Structure formats: structure tokens, C-alpha cells
Amino acid sequence: MASWNSIPLEITYEVLGWLAFFSWSISFYPQVILNFRRKSVVGLNFDFVMLNLTKHSSYMIYNVCLYFSPVIQKQYLEKYGSGEMIPVAANDVAFSIHAVLLTSITLFQILIYDRGTQKVSKISIGIVSAAWLTAAICVFIALPSQSWLWLISIFNSIQVFMTVIKYIPQAVMNFARKSTDGFSIGNILLDFVGGLANYAQMAVQSIDQNSWVNFYGNIGKTLLSLVSVFFDIIFMCQHFVLYPGKKATIASKLEREGKEPLVKSSDQPGPENV
């Protein structure tokens, strides 16, 4: 197994990795706190949470197995070369475990807080069921030949697929409501920083090793960063440009009070502006 050629690059790698860990990990808390304060999960898309739990669970299985199993590490080096480094860092393991825990807490909040008329769609239930059924079948396929690297790569592929589709329900919901009220933008800002730091960490390793194998050797981590950043930009545009939070807050307040204001706010468009 390869070692670091540059101490400064190794330190940079660790700093970026833990920056990604803290940014991504902290990003879960604004939504949890918002749900707790409102005693409501209205505005949070349940499909997003359910898909997210499957995504992080799959990613945790991949990271934990590749980081701790000598057998799987040996299979990785046999496939990509003995001179390569294992593309999973301690911060990847810590993040994925923490993510499963916090997403489970969010799911529990959905069960106990006001949900309005929202519910998990049958499509999401079908996708999640199909993902875990596929994983279970692959376990039995891998057993005879002990193809453990191939098996965890399936879990990594599942997390990539979930990463691609998990943001779509929330983005569509924001568009339909013309509001991001109830969806924490703090989550997105921290997720954006984490995605950039995670990608930069991989780039630093590649520069040190003069090899880009880690980008496709752990394609899940690569796509996780790119897809996260892409959708974070969409959410930021929705929140700050298309549906500013102040307008959403005013509209939400009026809905809760169940009456029209005596004097229209200057932030609210009149009929002539609609």
C-alpha cells in the first residue's frame, strides 16, 4: 500500500477531510432543530428523508467495510494496483455513521410531529424496497466467490443512485409551493461547504500520488461531492433568488392566522404584480 510523499499535502488532506466531516455533520442539525422548535415537519419532504436514510446506510456499509476489512483492502489493491492508497479516510467512516444516526432522528421527528397532509410517496417506498432487495440478492451472489469488494461496490452504487434522486422531491416541492419555508437553508449551506471540501480532499491525494485512481476507485465519493454541490446550488437559488425566505415566512404566518392582513406588506405582491 502506498504512503504519502508530501507531509504538507498529507496534513492538507486530513484538514479538508475533517472540514468536510464537520460541515456535513453539522448540516443535519438545523433541520432537526427547526423541526423541534416548530413541533412540525410540514415543508420537509418525507421522500427526501427516506431516500437519504437508504443512501447514508449504503454509504456507511461501503466505508466501514473498506476501511476496516484487510480482506477487502487486499481485493482493492489487487484490482487497482498495490501502489495505490485506500480511498476511504477515517472522516468518511465517521461521517457516514453520524449521518445514519441523525437521519434516523429526523425520521423519528416525522413520526411524532405535525405532518399536515404530507406522507411518503409510493414511488419512494418502491425505490427503497427495490434498492434493499437488490442488495440482499447481491449478498447471496457474492457469498460463493467471496467477492466482497464487488459487493460493497454495489452498496456504493446504491448510495450514488440515492444521492442523484434524493434531492429531486424537495426541489420539486419547493417549486410547487413557491416557498422554502420549513426547509432549513442552513443544512444546504453546510452541505455545500462539505461537498467542496470532500472533492478537494480527493484532489490533494491524487496530486500527492500522481494518480487519479482514487477518483474512479471510489466513484461514489466523487459523485457524492459533485451531485451534492449541484443540487445545493439549486436550493440556494430557490431560497435566496426565486422564493426569498422573508416572503415565505410572511405567507406562512398569514396561513397560520387564517386571515388576510389589514394592510398589505410591501413585500407581498398585489394583484397588479402577479
Side-chain angles (χ1 to χ4, degrees), residues 54-55 57-63 65-66 72 75 79-80 130-143 147-163 217-220:
T54 299
K55 177 258 180 189
S57 298
S58 301
Y59 195 43
M60 180 184 70
I61 292 171
Y62 175 82
N63 285 331
C65 290
L66 185 53
I72 298 179
Q75 292 180 1
K79 180 176 181 178
Y80 293 105
W132 287 113
L133 178 61
T134 299
I137 293 173
C138 289
V139 168
F140 288 103
I141 294 175
L143 278 174
S147 304
W148 307 126
L149 179 63
W150 172 81
L151 178 60
I152 66 169
S153 295
I154 295 298
F155 281 101
N156 204 17
S157 298
I158 290 174
Q159 82 87 11
V160 170
F161 176 69
M162 291 297 173
T163 299
N218 188 356
I219 190 65

Side-chain angles (χ1 to χ4, degrees), residues 123-197:
I123 294 177
S124 291
I125 294 174
I127 291 174
V128 169
S129 300
W132 287 113
L133 178 61
T134 299
I137 293 173
C138 289
V139 168
F140 288 103
I141 294 175
L143 278 174
S145 59
Q146 297 187 342
S147 304
W148 307 126
L149 179 63
W150 172 81
L151 178 60
I152 66 169
S153 295
I154 295 298
F155 281 101
N156 204 17
S157 298
I158 290 174
Q159 82 87 11
V160 170
F161 176 69
M162 291 297 173
T163 299
V164 171
I165 68 172
K166 73 169 187 173
Y167 292 105
I168 296 176
Q170 186 69 57
V172 172
M173 184 177 181
N174 293 344
F175 174 78
R177 298 171 70 231
K178 298 296 186 288
S179 169
T180 57
D181 191 38
F183 181 62
S184 175
I185 194 61
N187 177 317
I188 297 305
L189 297 175
L190 289 165
D191 190 54
F192 183 72
V193 173
L196 292 179

Side-chain angles (χ1 to χ4, degrees), residues 56-123:
H56 287 305
S57 298
S58 301
Y59 195 43
M60 180 184 70
I61 292 171
Y62 175 82
N63 285 331
V64 169
C65 290
L66 185 53
Y67 188 79
F68 288 108
S69 172
V71 174
I72 298 179
Q73 290 179 1
K74 181 181 178 182
Q75 292 180 1
Y76 179 89
L77 296 176
E78 288 175 350
K79 180 176 181 178
Y80 293 105
S82 58
E84 298 297 332
M85 298 178 70
I86 297 300
V88 174
N91 63 274
D92 297 319
V93 177
F95 162 71
S96 54
I97 293 174
H98 178 270
V100 170
L101 175 62
L102 265 293
T103 306
S104 298
I105 291 175
T106 305
L107 190 60
F108 179 70
Q109 289 180 318
I110 290 175
L111 296 176
I112 64 174
Y113 291 152
D114 176 34
R115 300 185 294 273
T117 59
Q118 293 178 214
K119 59 183 179 180
V120 178
S121 71
K122 293 181 180 179
I123 294 177

